[in-house]
Amino acid sequence: MLVRLLYASHAAQNCPNDVIESIVTKARSFNPSHGITGILCYGDGVFLQALEGSRQAVNDLYGHILRDDRHERIELLDYEEITERRFAGWTMGRVDLSKLNATVVLKYAEQPRLNPYTLTGKAALALLEELMATASIIGRA
């Protein structure tokens, strides 16, 4: 059974680009052998991530994220059983949220600056799908 999980969190400390790249590199190494796909968005100290895979693999990874001291204020935005993956092409795609077009964000959010804590799970997923469709994902591995 496949599931999709979306969550938001704040970085516990300022995460320079090399720390984000390290997280993505580690995910791209770990995820294929565990059947996990997804996308990681980061900007202005905020993470928005979608994870897809088996229920056990996604739950285990989310448990690890909950214990990761690089994250604060972790909030589950959506969790659902799915019949197909939306991010099957990415072991872990990456989006720099600080470079998002404000009009794209405003389409799904209350303000032109992204605050994933105010998004419904469906709006967060729709935003991620639009980023994917408009080639805003900078890491496609």
Side-chain angles (χ1 to χ4, degrees):
M1 168 187 305
L2 292 173
V3 299
R4 180 181 307 110
L5 181 149
L6 278 79
Y7 77 90
S9 71
H10 276 280
Q13 301 172 11
N14 183 22
C15 283
N17 197 44
D18 60 325
V19 172
I20 301 304
E21 283 302 319
S22 171
I23 291 170
V24 171
T25 299
K26 194 176 281 188
R28 289 178 179 161
S29 173
F30 175 87
N31 290 354
S33 62
H34 293 85
I36 295 174
T37 57
I39 182 170
L40 174 67
C41 304
Y42 178 77
D44 297 325
V46 176
F47 290 98
L48 173 62
Q49 186 168 31
L51 301 170
E52 299 171 326
S54 73
R55 183 183 346 210
Q56 186 66 54
V58 169
N59 289 352
D60 288 349
L61 181 54
Y62 186 60
H64 175 75
I65 291 165
L66 290 170
R67 294 184 299 276
D68 187 333
D69 60 5
R70 293 175 292 192
H71 296 272
E72 294 179 338
R73 294 185 49 213
I74 300 170
E75 188 170 315
L76 183 65
L77 301 177
D78 194 46
Y79 184 94
E80 65 180 321
E81 295 175 357
I82 58 175
T83 56
E84 63 184 34
R85 296 173 192 250
R86 300 279 173 92
F87 307 103
W90 294 283
T91 55
M92 189 50 61
R94 179 176 172 245
V95 174
D96 184 347
L97 292 176
S98 66
K99 297 183 180 190
L100 282 183
N101 183 324
T103 59
V104 172
V105 175
L106 195 55
K107 185 174 177 181
Y108 301 100
E110 297 170 358
Q111 300 290 323
R113 182 170 179 203
L114 182 64
N115 177 357
Y117 295 97
T118 65
L119 297 178
T120 66
K122 301 302 179 207
L125 181 59
L127 173 60
L128 293 175
E129 288 175 331
E130 183 159 339
L131 295 174
M132 184 173 63
T134 59
S136 297
I137 299 173
I138 59 176
R140 292 188 174 267

